Each structure stands twice: as C-alpha cells, then as structure tokens.
Amino acid sequence: MKIGILKIGQIDSRVLDRVLENLRTIFEDAEFTVLPDEMPIPKDAYDEERKQYRSDIILKSIREQVDKEKSLDRILGIVDADISIPQMNFVFGQAERPGKAGLISLYRLRPEFSRQKANTELFLERASKEAVHELGHTLGLGHCSNPFCVMYFSNSIFDTDRKQGLFCSKCYVKIEAASRPEKEELQPDE
Ligand code: ZN
Ligand code: ZN
C-alpha cells in the first residue's frame, strides 16, 4: 500500500516529519512519501460567511489527485486552515470511508487555539493522532466506542488528548484485515 502525504498550502515541516515517522510505525506494511508539490487550498472551498473552508470540497480535490497519481493507493492531505462541513461547527479532519482520500487540519490542534500554553510536543502528538484516525477511516473503520482508541470520535480537543495514537485491539484486527492487499472489497463496519 502506497500512501502520499499532500501539503495543502504551507505546512510546518516538523508536522510532516512527526506525522510521517508515526504513520510508518503504525502502518508497518505501507510505504509513505511526502508529495513534492504543495496543493493550494481550493478557492471554492472558502465559506465567506463562516470564515472557514469546506472540508468536503478540499477532500474532493484530494480524491482527484489520487486518481491522477496512479502509483498511489491513498493520499492524506494536511491543511493549516479552519475546516468544517455544513452540519458541524468545525471538524478536525475528514475522510472517505472506505476510500482513498483523507484530510486533517492543524488549525485547532495548537494549544494556543484553546487558550492553553503553547506546546509544540502536544501539537505534534495531536496531529499524529488525527492522521492515524483519518487513514483508519479510509481503510473502512468507523468510530470506536473506546475513548482511548485512536478511532474514537473527537468532539473536542479533550477527546483527542485522552485517546492514544493507537488502534484498540478490536480496531487493530480490522486494520490488519483491511491492509491485506488481497482483500480488495472493504466493508464498512456497522
Ligand atoms: Zn472520524
Ligand atoms: Zn477501537
């Protein structure tokens, strides 16, 4: 499985390094590369009224990119802008489930955003967790009821901080099955 990491707009290189390092440990059989070209945030994704970007529109652009880059199985986009979908105030990320495109936003992951003290380590850890979570969705996983599992739904940053960056044993079994190349047909659980 080949997975590309796509910068959407400018992204802190420390984030790329940490996310990459972490993903390589979690998804041992996958090959990760940071795509050399940065993709601008699609202009039509901006919602004037909400002053946020529509994550579904950005996700569509990522999907188009995967369809072009035939050598890649999946792309995870990283954006440093506030993203949302019409039904929610904000989202930390979004992904096709199952599918080939995932997206995370760094915007709300900095402790300063929640009036906490700046903490680079915490910020990088949060970004890593969200990256694993969205890739988990692309492999067909839904949300997990275990609050310590990386697939737990983050309603707020506190959920993100509580959960670990790892799959619980139940989700791990599903990830193992989904990562096996011969198993092409993925069934969303539940
Ligand atoms: Zn999710
Ligand atoms: Zn789980």
Side-chain angles (χ1 to χ4, degrees):
M1 183 168 60
K2 287 196 172 136
I3 303 175
I5 307 291
L6 175 65
K7 294 168 276 184
I8 305 174
Q10 269 201 348
I11 298 300
D12 187 334
S13 64
R14 290 173 305 176
V15 172
L16 295 169
D17 290 347
R18 173 63 75 85
V19 164
L20 208 60
E21 185 195 329
N22 186 57
L23 288 175
R24 283 182 173 140
T25 336
I26 307 264
F27 299 95
E28 280 178 321
D29 301 324
E31 248 178 74
F32 289 93
T33 33
V34 176
L35 303 178
D37 295 325
E38 178 183 310
M39 180 178 97
I41 307 180
K43 281 200 176 62
D44 60 336
Y46 192 63
D47 183 329
E48 279 285 347
E49 235 165 87
R50 298 176 55 161
K51 309 263 181 276
Q52 286 175 316
Y53 291 88
R54 286 271 298 268
S55 63
D56 51 332
I57 295 175
I58 303 176
L59 197 64
K60 225 175 78 195
S61 299
I62 299 173
R63 178 58 197 238
E64 283 164 14
Q65 197 86 0
V66 198
D67 291 338
K68 260 190 275 168
E69 308 258 351
K70 295 265 177 283
S71 61
L72 294 172
D73 301 297
R74 283 178 171 73
I75 290 182
L76 177 74
I78 305 181
V79 71
D80 200 349
D82 201 15
I83 58 169
S84 68
I85 47 172
Q87 312 89 281
M88 296 184 97
N89 292 331
F90 74 91
V91 289
F92 289 119
Q94 197 186 344
E96 296 175 340
R97 177 190 159 211
K100 297 182 167 188
L103 168 69
I104 63 165
S105 160
L106 305 176
Y107 192 81
R108 289 173 183 257
L109 302 181
R110 288 184 185 82
E112 303 93 293
F113 182 85
S114 332
R115 297 167 196 271
Q116 293 171 308
K117 214 168 75 195
N119 182 339
T120 307
E121 185 52 34
L122 180 60
F123 168 57
L124 297 176
E125 205 177 292
R126 288 170 171 176
S128 293
K129 288 178 188 175
E130 293 307 326
V132 174
H133 181 97
E134 298 308 337
L135 279 180
H137 280 319
T138 66
L139 287 161
L141 266 74
H143 287 140
C144 178
S145 57
N146 179 343
F148 301 104
C149 173
V150 76
M151 291 315 292
Y152 189 76
F153 172 67
S154 285
N155 203 14
S156 78
I157 199 68
F158 302 107
D159 294 319
T160 307
D161 287 342
R162 182 180 46 203
K163 69 186 176 188
Q164 320 254 292
L166 301 167
F167 297 103
C168 72
S169 51
K170 268 193 190 153
C171 291
Y172 185 75
V173 171
K174 292 181 202 163
I175 280 290
E176 281 285 278
S179 307
R180 251 175 261 139
E182 65 269 22
K183 214 179 160 206
E184 270 294 286
E185 282 296 301
L186 299 179
Q187 291 294 330
D189 67 331
E190 79 217 340

